Amino acid sequence: MIAGELVVANDAEDLATRAVRFIARQIELSPTFRFVLSGGSTPRSLYTLLGEHRELPWGRVEMFMGDERFVPLDHPDSNFRMVRETLLAHGIQPKAIHPIPTDGTPQDAAERYETLLRSISRNPLFDLNLLGLGEDGHIASLLPDQPVLEVRDKLVAVVPKGRSEQRITLTYPALESSRITMFLVSGKAKAAMVKRARAGDISIPAGRLRPSGSVIWFIDRSAAEN
């Protein structure tokens, strides 16, 4: 199931171009488009390029975040700040943007995002879930050896340990509830994890994902070398 379709790009520029073309097509075909955004460094070029397509019907698009560091939304480490400085920097006007809140306590913020997601009366929750892949096999902030990997009764959870800062993440049930799951992976350092994840290796967080919809992997040649 998680192996899905594989698209191998020549380099980082080609990877972003191919991925943007695919996402743009999905936006054009969808009367409403609920889009889960990934953080990290890999999607920066994709977001910048996608945001330049101002002709797309952005008024159909609702944006959500797959995870967030529990820092202010204008903090340099904020995933949402990265999205704002890339995808949203070109003046596009989505129907709605839903950053994960990072005020109050982490638990309170997670519960508020949970309430938002549960207010969506559709199955699957999302149209496209964009995921990265860490060198340790993590997706979103589903980190190795953390209790959040076992959470099945919530859509959003706090990840208090495993990194230098606390995080809030969508859980497996939320990440799996998407019409399309799209991985974006670059670099030789992640090649082994791509292979293990696509094989469904449950010893890493990515390998435990069981999406309800279709899966497509966009990777560069270095990430395919294994």
Side-chain angles (χ1 to χ4, degrees):
M1 290 175 60
I2 195 173
E5 181 182 350
L6 182 64
V7 177
V8 180
N10 293 319
D11 51 32
E13 182 179 356
D14 187 37
L15 180 66
T17 299
R18 288 172 180 252
V20 165
R21 188 181 301 128
F22 179 81
I23 294 171
R25 183 60 173 160
Q26 302 309 311
I27 293 173
E28 290 172 341
L29 292 173
S30 302
T32 61
F33 190 74
R34 291 189 169 96
F35 184 12
V36 182
L37 304 174
S38 172
S41 59
T42 303
R44 291 188 67 96
S45 296
L46 182 158
Y47 291 157
T48 298
L49 185 58
L50 183 61
E52 293 173 356
H53 286 265
R54 299 182 64 180
E55 78 284 356
L56 290 172
W58 289 106
R60 304 176 187 174
V61 179
E62 285 191 65
M63 298 179 181
F64 302 81
M65 297 299 300
D67 71 324
E68 185 59 271
R69 297 172 177 89
F70 197 72
V71 296
L73 294 179
D74 60 354
H75 190 280
D77 293 336
S78 167
N79 284 337
F80 183 70
R81 174 174 170 168
M82 184 271 288
V83 169
R84 191 175 64 239
E85 292 176 346
T86 54
L87 178 58
L88 302 177
H90 303 281
I92 63 171
Q93 297 292 327
K95 178 181 179 180
I97 305 169
H98 304 289
I100 294 174
T102 57
D103 58 321
T105 67
Q107 187 60 45
D108 173 67
E111 290 174 358
R112 278 181 278 155
Y113 213 61
E114 173 100 16
T115 298
L116 170 67
L117 295 188
R118 291 198 179 277
S119 72
I120 300 174
S121 57
R122 59 180 280 183
N123 185 28
L125 283 174
F126 308 114
D127 292 289
L128 192 148
N129 176 20
L130 179 64
L131 289 172
L133 179 66
E135 293 181 20
D136 60 359
H138 81 269
I139 51 174
S141 282
L142 299 180
L143 305 176
D145 305 318
Q146 295 302 311
V148 69
L149 300 180
E150 307 304 327
V151 175
R152 290 285 175 177
D153 60 342
K154 296 180 180 179
L155 300 177
V156 186
V158 178
V159 186
K161 297 181 180 180
R163 292 293 188 269
S164 59
E165 71 290 302
Q166 294 192 70
R167 298 185 176 201
I168 298 174
T169 187
L170 301 193
T171 61
Y172 283 115
L175 294 175
E176 291 170 344
S177 185
S178 186
R179 182 169 57 86
I180 301 170
T181 298
M182 176 180 172
F183 283 89
L184 186 76
V185 189
S186 177
K188 186 173 180 58
K190 298 181 180 180
M193 287 300 168
V194 168
K195 184 176 181 179
R196 291 173 63 182
R198 295 188 73 233
D201 181 350
I202 63 171
S203 68
I204 62 171
R208 299 174 62 168
L209 189 74
R210 295 294 181 265
S212 60
S214 62
V215 179
I216 185 166
W217 290 78
F218 284 82
I219 68 176
D220 63 11
R221 291 202 179 278
S222 59
E225 293 176 359
N226 194 294

